[in-house]
Amino acid sequence: MAKQVIKVPDLGGADQVDVIEIAVAVGDTVAEEDALIVVEGDKASMDVPAPVAGKILSISVKEGDKVSEGDVIGEMETEAAGDAAEEPAAEEKAEEPAPAAAAEETPAAAAAPAGEEKEEELKVPDLGGAESVDVIEISVSAGDTVEEGDALIVVEGDKASMDVPSSASGTIVSLSVKEGDKVSTGDVIGVIKTVSGGAPAPAPAAAAPAPAAAPAPAESASQEPPAAPQKDPHLERDHTPSAEVYAGPAVRKLARELGVTLNKVKPTGPRNRVTKDDLHAYVKEQVKKAESGAVGVGGGIGIAPMPEIDFSQFGPVNVEPMSKIHKLTAANMSRNWLNVPHVTQFDDADITELEDFRKSMKAEAEKRGVKLTPVPFLLKAAAAALREVPSFNVSLHNDGEHIVRKDYVHIGMAVDTPKGLMVPVIRDVDKKGLYELAEEATAMAVAARDGKLKPRDMQGACFTISSLGAIGGTGFTPIVNAPEVGILGVSKLAVRPEWNGKEFVPRQMLPLALSYDHRAVNGGDAGRFLTYLAAVLGDVRRLLL
Ligand code: CAO
């Protein structure tokens, strides 16, 4: 049994990094390379792995501490007896001569005479056992001046991506790798020209991830104890904005491919890491939600799917298929209700005179074979209002950047049919007379109820009128029939006492409800539209103006 002091290994040039996680507890038995703590610097987070297998005797850092290379993390008890695991005292180590191999590995720029230029090879450091990792980024170009520790390239293996830092300060002479290449420990990345001089000599390999268990070169070894054996620090670069999410590069890559924002995924991996399975589970869940229509919008809680209920448990039921029209209407209603920010505005039109006129014309209309109900008047008044307030005669372009202004006035008329709701469209309402509109409205309603409408008969409306007056009700809020931006709901005419300035008089009041798409129409225009419409219905002579 031996005691070993555990120290922060080479941090690839980073200093004073935050301890963001303590991954073990005193008494824990760990295998070699198990993460002991997780540290996070400006550019990356990394696990600090156990240099050997053993038992944690003490931990001398806590979350929130700042640590640098060489700082003591704690102590371990290891199986191995003697020198291999026993950490020699710094002083003892400092007196050891640097092994020749290390000196060869890292040409001693400091040993060169002052001002002497020297070219040295930049090599891939110890990758902690990983081989043939991908070069995913080249961070420098030939001619660039770099400081020791600056990233030269970024490599990505199965488990981690890491910056490969420059082992010296100087000028890049050449690069011998490119993006997409595969590299292994010891492969040459390029050549750097260093200059030794009066300034402190660039510390050759101290900032680079040194070969496993390689002691530091003589100069630095004389100042500091060697770091604990350095395995791959599993540096994780931030490739996504989700900087606080812990995930390996392979997972981050998959997340990028799937278009998943990592911080939305529930992590189940060790120390709250997002795993590939977590990503798959997240995507599956989203697809399921989308298929059930329960997709959250704008960070809200979303729409929970309807529960499946067996109604027969409450009493006798009969399950029937929905008609095609019913299914289509249901889909359109949900689409419009969910996509269109609705506002509904109310008013009453005093149609006492209109009714007097209509009734006076009824006999004549019948002679012509036409039924003169309030609907043709509503159509004509709505057409006039669309001309008066043209911001209602628009559609929003799909690109979200344009508005389509229409110079025609086609109006849809909701018709209640045994098979479901249908909305035939009466064209050029503004150009037609009341009889013509009455005739067309009746013909369209009959065709709708007989199932004789053609697709074109139901296309191209600028606005819709839904009249429930013959059925009843004092008011309702109709749903905009997008891409139209407005719909008028008409309820049952009622005789009500109205104040004329001197006395209450019985007036025939028609309740109107105007729903509109607030993305396209503002409240002021909606107010003007409905007021104008009510005024026209209140005095149809205005239609002549
Ligand atoms: N208040 C009081 N009476 C009204 C009225 C109103 N607002 N509107 C119409 N009436 C009267 C008519 O004057 C007619 O009476 P008379 O026969 O005495 O003249 C009677 O109601 C029946 O009219 P109608 O239904 O034959 O014709 P219409 O022109 O009023 O309506 C149509 C045509 C197609 C709009 C209507 O038949 C219809 O289907 N309405 C339902 C629309 C609908 O379902 N909307 C909901 C859509 S969202 O789910």
Side-chain angles (χ1 to χ4, degrees):
M1 289 291 189
K3 255 193 206 174
Q4 175 156 341
V5 175
I6 321 155
K7 291 181 177 171
V8 176
D10 171 25
L11 295 170
D15 204 25
Q16 288 286 296
V17 296
D18 294 315
V19 176
I20 58 164
E21 198 177 310
I22 307 290
V24 290
V26 172
D28 281 1
T29 303
V30 294
E32 183 182 339
E33 282 202 68
D34 276 359
L36 301 175
I37 63 171
V38 183
V39 295
E40 188 165 66
D42 284 347
K43 295 187 203 143
S45 63
M46 63 178 271
D47 292 348
V48 173
V52 286
K55 195 171 159 190
I56 305 294
L57 292 178
S58 66
I59 299 166
S60 41
V61 290
K62 59 182 188 318
E63 273 179 28
D65 281 358
K66 288 202 180 285
V67 292
S68 297
E69 182 184 345
D71 285 353
V72 174
I73 298 168
E75 273 184 320
M76 281 178 69
E77 185 177 72
T78 65
E79 286 295 325
D83 48 58
E86 190 79 45
E87 178 73 13
E91 298 73 31
E92 284 170 20
K93 205 70 197 270
E95 281 161 26
E96 283 177 15
E104 276 166 26
E105 282 281 322
T106 52
E116 188 183 316
E117 282 188 353
K118 194 166 172 49
E119 284 192 358
E120 60 185 82
E121 284 181 338
L122 297 161
K123 289 184 178 173
V124 176
D126 174 25
L127 296 170
E131 283 304 306
S132 267
V133 296
D134 293 316
V135 176
I136 59 165
E137 197 177 303
I138 305 288
S139 314
V140 291
S141 312
D144 283 358
T145 304
V146 295
E147 292 294 320
E148 176 192 329
D150 284 356
L152 299 172
I153 60 171
V154 184
V155 294
E156 184 169 72
D158 281 348
K159 297 190 205 134
S161 61
M162 61 181 281
D163 290 347
V164 173
S166 179
S167 54
S169 300
T171 308
I172 303 293
V173 176
S174 63
L175 286 168
S176 39
V177 292
K178 58 181 188 319
E179 271 178 30
D181 281 359
K182 288 201 180 290
V183 292
S184 298
T185 302
D187 284 355
V188 175
I189 299 167
V191 174
I192 189 167
K193 189 192 284 174
T194 60
V195 182
S196 61
E219 274 77 9
S220 56
S222 66
Q223 301 298 319
E224 289 183 36
Q230 292 164 6
K231 297 293 174 187
D232 171 27
H234 289 207
L235 282 171
E236 289 177 6
R237 278 169 61 88
D238 286 338
H239 290 295
T240 72
S242 48
E244 270 128 48
V245 177
Y246 299 118
V251 174
R252 288 182 186 271
K253 195 170 163 214
L254 183 61
R256 284 197 297 276
E257 282 165 11
L258 296 172
V260 172
T261 306
L262 268 178
N263 58 15
K264 289 190 175 161
V265 181
K266 188 172 170 232
T268 63
R271 301 187 313 282
N272 268 343
R273 273 170 193 270
V274 177
T275 65
K276 278 190 180 174
D277 284 348
D278 295 338
L279 272 182
H280 288 304
Y282 175 82
V283 170
K284 256 190 213 167
E285 182 65 17
Q286 294 306 308
V287 170
K288 211 167 128 193
K289 278 187 191 166
E291 282 175 351
S292 69
V295 182
V297 178
I301 55 169
I303 299 158
M306 293 297 288
E308 272 177 40
I309 297 172
D310 174 11
F311 294 94
S312 67
Q313 63 183 304
F314 307 119
V317 293
N318 187 19
V319 181
E320 293 169 354
M322 284 163 81
S323 72
K324 215 172 138 192
I325 291 175
H326 194 171
K327 280 195 277 188
L328 206 66
T329 304
N332 285 344
M333 289 295 175
S334 336
R335 186 198 62 190
N336 295 340
W337 180 250
L338 290 171
N339 280 300
V340 176
H342 281 76
V343 177
T344 305
Q345 189 155 329
F346 304 92
D347 204 350
D348 290 331
D350 182 342
I351 61 165
T352 311
E353 273 80 41
L354 186 154
E355 278 297 275
D356 288 348
F357 174 64
R358 185 178 73 85
K359 280 176 186 152
S360 72
M361 299 300 292
K362 229 175 161 187
E364 184 185 312
E366 269 164 25
K367 270 193 214 155
R368 291 169 168 255
V370 178
K371 189 177 178 194
L372 201 58
T373 68
V375 167
F377 292 91
L378 289 166
L379 286 165
K380 199 74 194 155
L386 285 168
R387 286 288 184 201
E388 180 73 14
V389 186
S391 59
F392 262 86
N393 200 4
V394 302
S395 281
L396 294 173
H397 197 284
N398 272 349
D399 65 10
E401 309 217 345
H402 295 88
I403 200 151
V404 181
R405 299 197 181 278
K406 300 162 193 175
D407 195 20
Y408 53 84
V409 181
H410 305 339
I411 296 180
M413 179 183 68
V415 180
D416 182 33
T417 82
K419 285 188 177 165
L421 174 67
M422 305 200 75
V423 188
V425 178
I426 300 172
R427 285 169 202 275
D428 297 314
V429 176
D430 57 330
K431 295 178 186 150
K432 290 176 179 169
L434 284 168
Y435 283 141
E436 196 179 356
L437 288 173
E439 202 173 342
E440 212 172 312
T442 306
M444 284 291 198
V446 169
R449 286 175 182 135
D450 292 349
K452 298 233 167 89
L453 287 176
K454 296 180 192 72
R456 193 174 151 72
D457 294 335
M458 291 177 280
Q459 290 167 356
C462 309
F463 184 82
T464 292
I465 294 175
S466 175
S467 173
L468 286 175
I471 298 169
T474 55
F476 65 104
T477 55
I479 297 175
V480 170
N481 196 11
E484 297 156 39
V485 299
I487 181 167
L488 182 73
V490 184
S491 294
K492 191 174 171 64
L493 176 66
V495 177
R496 287 208 312 250
E498 288 291 315
W499 184 252
N500 67 4
K502 287 190 202 133
E503 56 188 346
F504 281 104
V505 288
R507 304 293 294 178
Q508 300 188 62
M509 305 302 289
L510 184 70
L512 304 173
L514 174 72
S515 292
Y516 58 93
D517 182 340
H518 210 342
R519 296 172 304 175
V521 179
N522 61 38
D525 280 347
R528 278 183 277 279
F529 185 95
L530 196 54
T531 304
Y532 182 82
L533 184 74
V536 169
L537 291 171
D539 187 350
V540 284
R541 290 173 304 178
R542 281 169 172 272
L543 290 171
L544 302 170
L545 299 172

